[in-house]
Amino acid sequence: MVALVYLVSKYFIADNFACLSLQEKCEEIYSMIKLRKSEDRGYADHGWLKSYHSFSFADYYDPEYMGWGNLRVINDDYIKAGGGFGDHPHRNMEIITYVLSGQLAHKDSMGNVETINPGEVQRMSAGSLVVHSEFNGATNATTHLLQIWIEPNVKNIEPSYEQKVISQIKKQGKLALIASSNPKDQSVLIHADASLYAGIFNENQKATLQLNVNRKAYVHLIKGALEINGNYLKAGDALMLEDEPLINISNGREAEVLVFDLAA
């Protein structure tokens, strides 16, 4: 596994650096950005399913990548026509599904029977127990999706389900809030101390996101190419950030990105 860690001086070239106290220098001089390349992710090929794992999952185990903050799973799944996951249980996890192409057919023990299409976000709070199945709903095409697990801040709640359309216009050239604990702007509700943003960027489109330096952030580039805080990412690459006050997005080339604001 190869990960590049950048320790970035915040004040090295600042005029007031010499005026800072030793404590301030120790506290403020460094921020941490770790680049995780797409090819360094875990990979599983089950025939009907090809899956890239950003963090340890199933038979893929890497003690360096057990999660980031309260983000536990990002699986980049390609499900062949006719393939899928039969009934299986979950407990005490916030599960977000983001379909990129094709369709996903969902059925669960709460009585929900739904189809998730590109541009839609599904949230399932497993709570005390939920049993569900997921199958490729596109009869003649592979379905490509991201499945995301975030650890909840409350346990054994009643399971619940939500599904919303997030328009392309809302994400074009900016970061749209798509999941949060305080839902607004059409985001889905998650029972976790986290916020998830999605954006589409091309050419001269730019965006920034203010961060709390006491929290963590995670950036996953879905497709295209993009510059984040001076780091150039290609599809499948990710950045793990802490002690960063800001995310700067620029130089997109048909890029689609997810940005997570996470509990430390």
Side-chain angles (χ1 to χ4, degrees):
M1 300 294 175
V2 177
L4 301 179
V5 178
Y6 299 84
L7 293 178
V8 182
S9 172
K10 297 178 182 176
Y11 292 103
F12 185 72
I13 60 173
D15 292 339
N16 67 338
F17 180 75
C19 300
L20 295 175
S21 70
L22 179 60
Q23 181 178 352
E24 287 172 325
K25 290 175 183 177
C26 291
E27 289 177 351
E28 301 293 344
I29 191 170
Y30 291 124
S31 61
M32 197 283 286
I33 302 175
K34 179 185 282 190
L35 173 62
R36 181 94 188 278
K37 302 295 287 183
S38 174
E39 57 268 26
D40 293 332
R41 293 178 295 174
Y43 176 68
D45 186 347
H46 300 284
W48 62 271
L49 169 70
K50 292 179 172 60
S51 185
Y52 296 86
H53 305 311
S54 295
F55 303 107
S56 295
F57 186 86
D59 293 333
Y60 166 63
Y61 174 74
D62 186 332
E64 280 193 60
Y65 296 99
M66 299 300 295
W68 185 245
N70 52 347
L71 175 60
R72 181 62 190 85
V73 168
I74 301 180
N75 287 344
D76 190 352
D77 290 343
Y78 295 80
I79 306 173
K80 285 186 177 180
F85 303 89
D87 285 344
H88 59 283
H90 292 283
R91 288 183 175 86
N92 293 320
M93 193 65 69
E94 297 296 299
I95 300 171
I96 299 167
T97 302
Y98 192 80
V99 175
L100 302 167
S101 63
Q103 293 179 319
L104 188 69
H106 168 97
K107 185 176 181 180
D108 63 46
S109 55
M110 295 176 281
N112 298 298
V113 180
E114 302 289 348
T115 298
I116 309 157
N117 298 294
E120 296 181 333
V121 177
Q122 178 211 56
R123 182 271 302 171
M124 187 172 65
S125 298
S128 56
L129 174 66
V130 69
V131 177
H132 76 133
S133 62
E134 300 163 295
F135 283 87
N136 185 346
T139 56
N140 297 310
T142 294
T143 289
H144 181 199
L145 61 92
L146 295 177
Q147 186 160 109
I148 298 156
W149 296 6
I150 300 176
E151 295 174 351
N153 54 9
V154 289
K155 291 190 174 183
N156 297 320
I157 61 173
E158 183 179 351
S160 60
Y161 180 95
E162 191 176 9
Q163 183 176 333
K164 288 188 176 181
V165 176
I166 309 294
S167 70
Q168 294 291 97
I169 293 175
K170 192 175 180 63
K171 297 181 286 188
Q172 192 67 53
K174 53 194 169 186
L175 291 174
L177 183 66
I178 65 171
S180 69
S181 60
N182 183 20
K184 56 185 178 181
D185 299 331
Q186 295 183 311
S187 67
V188 296
L189 168 69
I190 53 175
H191 301 90
D193 183 8
S195 297
L196 172 57
Y197 301 83
I200 298 170
F201 296 91
N202 200 31
E203 297 179 347
N204 62 349
Q205 294 175 324
K206 297 181 179 181
T208 60
L209 180 67
Q210 295 283 342
L211 300 174
N212 183 330
V213 295
N214 296 315
R215 295 173 63 79
K216 291 186 175 183
Y218 190 89
V219 176
H220 177 88
L221 186 60
I222 297 170
K223 65 180 182 179
L226 196 62
E227 181 180 351
I228 307 281
N229 289 24
N231 297 271
Y232 293 91
L233 279 65
K234 61 179 178 59
D237 288 352
L239 288 180
M240 306 164 78
L241 305 98
E242 58 182 332
D243 298 321
E244 277 289 311
L246 192 70
I247 287 179
N248 283 302
I249 297 174
S250 60
N251 295 322
R253 296 196 302 275
E254 298 182 350
E256 185 170 5
V257 66
L258 294 181
V259 177
F260 297 79
D261 181 344
L262 301 161

